Amino acid sequence: MSSSTERRGELLAIAAGVFAAQGYNATTVRRIADAAGLLAGSLYYHFDSKESMLDEILSAFLSELWAGYDTVLAAGLGPRETIGALVTESFRQIDRHGPAVAIYQRESKHLSVQPRFTYLSDSQAKFENAWLRTLERGVAEQVFRKDLDVRLVYRFVRDTVWVAASWYRPGGAHSPEEIARQYLSMVLEGVTTPNRTAPHRPLTKEQSWPRPT
């Protein structure tokens, strides 16, 4: 990796932290430059606008998220195992892209109406479809309870997992995989049919879904 590319990555990480803390509209190029120890004009050597910086931050996060999700969805796992793998991958992305997740949660609704950020709406629709189809498959295969409203379950699991970005800090006492196992032990026991509950054992670290290579 060249020093220029490395520096660009460092600046994007700084900008992501500022956007997450201050909000996109309230953040100026000068504020990002100050956080990076640069003059505002120097930042334009790397980026033509703060919009470009935000675009790179969000698109990088979503590209990596979908690389992981697509690997899970193509693996031919059962519904329960697919949900477990998606939750685990979600926590890995919170670990790697915490500020981008916070920005996405706060800003995506109003950003998605802008031509440059229409991919945010596309990603949200794809995300919802992947989770709903997996939950519906689980109900159809009698892995999940038939009385469930899968859309409500989806919203509950989505919000329960992604709100963790507000408190999770990389390098803490628990790894993303360990947190995912705890969440799954609570969530899945509530949606699994009784005859499926008893033999279930929490995933071990060795059994958790591998990181995409």
Side-chain angles (χ1 to χ4, degrees):
M1 181 183 295
S2 69
S3 58
S4 176
T5 300
E6 186 174 355
R7 181 55 173 160
R8 187 182 181 86
E10 292 171 353
L11 292 173
L12 285 172
I14 292 168
V18 177
F19 287 142
Q22 304 292 325
Y24 175 68
N25 288 333
T27 299
T28 63
V29 171
R30 181 179 294 279
R31 177 67 185 85
I32 298 170
D34 288 345
L38 296 173
L39 296 174
S42 299
L43 201 58
Y44 287 110
Y45 174 78
H46 300 277
F47 307 97
D48 60 17
S49 65
K50 72 170 188 175
E51 183 182 56
S52 293
M53 301 182 79
L54 182 65
D55 188 10
E56 288 197 41
I57 291 164
L58 292 176
S59 60
F61 155 57
L62 290 174
S63 292
E64 190 169 322
L65 175 71
W66 279 107
Y69 271 23
D70 286 342
T71 300
V72 169
L73 295 170
L77 302 173
R80 182 184 179 115
E81 292 73 22
T82 299
I83 292 295
L86 290 174
V87 168
T88 300
E89 185 59 36
S90 298
F91 276 106
R92 287 174 175 156
Q93 294 307 315
I94 291 171
D95 179 66
R96 292 177 61 93
H97 297 284
V101 173
I103 297 165
Y104 180 86
Q105 290 176 328
R106 177 188 290 180
E107 312 283 0
S108 61
K109 185 174 182 179
H110 71 265
L111 285 173
S112 61
V113 301
Q114 300 179 24
R116 186 165 189 167
F117 293 98
T118 53
Y119 63 86
L120 297 177
S121 294
D122 296 338
S123 181
Q124 175 58 35
K126 182 181 176 183
F127 183 94
E128 181 173 320
N129 182 68
W131 283 80
L132 288 176
R133 298 296 83 78
T134 302
L135 289 166
E136 288 169 351
R137 181 162 61 96
V139 172
E141 295 178 10
Q142 300 183 354
V143 174
F144 300 146
R145 290 166 27 208
K146 65 180 181 180
D147 63 316
L148 294 174
D149 182 321
V150 293
R151 189 167 292 275
L152 287 178
V153 174
Y154 156 69
R155 289 173 176 169
F156 171 76
V157 176
R158 177 197 64 191
D159 294 348
T160 300
V161 170
W162 291 100
V163 77
S166 67
W167 56 260
Y168 178 83
R169 296 294 179 269
H174 301 289
S175 70
E177 293 80 7
E178 289 166 346
I179 296 173
R181 284 195 295 276
Q182 290 291 321
Y183 270 58
L184 288 165
S185 70
M186 293 182 283
V187 171
L188 289 179
E189 298 306 334
V191 303
T192 306
T193 53
N195 63 320
R196 302 281 181 141
T197 301
H200 170 65
R201 295 181 177 84
L203 293 174
T204 65
K205 183 175 292 188
E206 290 73 22
Q207 291 171 319
S208 62
W209 189 255
R211 295 179 184 272
T213 56

